Amino acid sequence: MSEHRPYTYVTLSMQPDSAPHVGVSFHTARLKVRSGLLLSNPRPYLDFASHEANVHISTTGAGPVTDDDLTIAREIFSATARYLADCEQLHAEQATKDAGDTAA
């Protein structure tokens, strides 16, 4: 049996005449996820953090909520619901397989 250990992978790509690109991949159950409302300048935020990296999402230009911000929030919500459903399905399938392997 292979052991899948948690990790966070962060990359920075820089090419001439292009904007830098930062990639963050969280492969850990040690991820902290939180959301809230910044009160000093009222705006919502969503935060993903591991020991190695943070991703902070908020409104366009850290300003008032725009129609585009609402669209992105809905996309995040939909993608999160799909991720949850996929995780639940695969977890159930793995539990069934593990129970079958133990019985054999």
Side-chain angles (χ1 to χ4, degrees), residues 31 33-35 46-48 57 71-89:
L31 187 64
V33 181
R34 64 187 183 135
S35 64
L46 178 61
D47 213 23
F48 298 86
I57 300 167
T71 297
I72 290 170
R74 288 181 185 114
E75 289 173 1
I76 291 169
F77 180 83
S78 294
T80 303
R82 282 191 310 270
Y83 179 72
L84 173 60
D86 290 345
C87 285
E88 288 176 336
Q89 177 184 350

Side-chain angles (χ1 to χ4, degrees), residues 5 13 18-19 23 30 33 42 45 50 52 54 56 63-64 67 74 76 82 84 91 96-97 104:
R5 297 166 50 144
S13 302
S18 295
R30 298 177 188 163
V33 181
Y45 70 87
S50 72
E52 302 87 359
N54 292 9
H56 183 85
D67 289 341
R74 288 181 185 114
I76 291 169
R82 282 191 310 270
L84 173 60
H91 187 263
T96 300
K97 181 184 179 299

Side-chain angles (χ1 to χ4, degrees), residues 16-40:
D17 302 321
S18 295
H21 176 79
V22 177
V24 180
S25 298
F26 294 108
H27 300 274
T28 177
R30 298 177 188 163
L31 187 64
K32 302 287 186 208
V33 181
R34 64 187 183 135
S35 64
L37 186 65
L38 296 174
L39 297 178
S40 59

Side-chain angles (χ1 to χ4, degrees), residues 58-64 66 68-69 72:
S58 191
T59 56
T60 303
T66 67
D68 288 340
D69 295 324
I72 290 170

